[in-house]
Amino acid sequence: LAVSAPGVPSQQQGFAPSPALSSSFAFTVPAELLVGSSLFVTASARDRDGNTGTSVALELNLADLTAPEVSISSPASGSQVLPGTPLEVSVLASDAQGVAEIVCVVGGAVAALDAQSFTPALPAASYTCSFPVPADAVAGSAIEVAVTARDAAGNATPVLPLMLSVADGVSPRVVSIAP
């Protein structure tokens, strides 16, 4: 039994004579093939008398199965945000087939969602999500930001977390005691 595909080394495997046979093969898809192109695979078998039969070519369509890469450029994890000011989260994403969307979801002391779509999808995209921090947010409260990116094929990154907290924005009260 032999299996071949353009750009892939032919694979052969011998078997004991049998009236029917099935086998599995694995191979690496050549790196130079582009997403959306096709790879045709054929199999052939030869009996002990030297007669050869060849399968109909099987067409394999190459799909994008890789999610975008995403990073948060600011603020740094552990940063504090003052009550009554906007929280701005700067996100960078890249994907060989194109970034279609960046999404920021915020929970804790601030609850919101912000997303940006890119049409057409971009190989590299940046977006700054902006959320108002309530003026009455309690100092020390947690703000949890979850960032994801999606590519043109629908692959999404795992959630990239960012942990922040609300800063103490209240000035100390000074009391003077005069004699």
Side-chain angles (χ1 to χ4, degrees):
L1 181 64
V3 175
S4 65
V8 177
S10 181
Q11 298 183 34
Q12 297 185 13
Q13 187 170 352
F15 295 96
S18 172
L21 179 69
S22 69
S23 180
S24 298
F25 281 88
F27 60 89
T28 301
V29 174
E32 63 273 7
L33 292 179
L34 300 175
V35 169
S37 63
S38 295
L39 180 66
F40 294 90
V41 179
T42 58
S44 62
R46 185 176 58 240
D47 65 18
R48 63 180 149 187
D49 294 329
N51 300 311
T52 302
T54 302
S55 71
V56 173
L58 172 65
E59 181 180 6
L60 302 175
N61 294 312
L62 302 180
D64 176 9
L65 302 176
T66 305
E69 293 185 18
V70 66
S71 63
I72 298 171
S73 56
S74 70
S77 189
S79 295
Q80 292 189 328
V81 182
L82 285 170
T85 63
L87 164 59
E88 293 188 345
V89 179
S90 296
V91 181
L92 303 172
S94 63
D95 185 83
Q97 303 307 314
V99 175
E101 183 178 44
I102 294 175
V103 178
C104 300
V105 179
V106 181
V110 177
L113 177 136
D114 190 8
Q116 177 65 47
S117 295
F118 303 97
T119 305
L122 303 172
S126 63
Y127 182 63
T128 300
C129 305
S130 184
F131 309 96
V133 177
D136 60 352
V138 178
S141 297
I143 300 173
E144 299 137 10
V145 181
V147 174
T148 60
R150 184 180 52 79
D151 69 12
N155 302 308
T157 60
V159 170
L160 182 61
L162 174 66
M163 299 301 293
L164 307 169
S165 63
V166 176
D168 180 0
V170 178
S171 300
R173 197 172 108 191
V174 177
V175 177
S176 173
I177 302 177

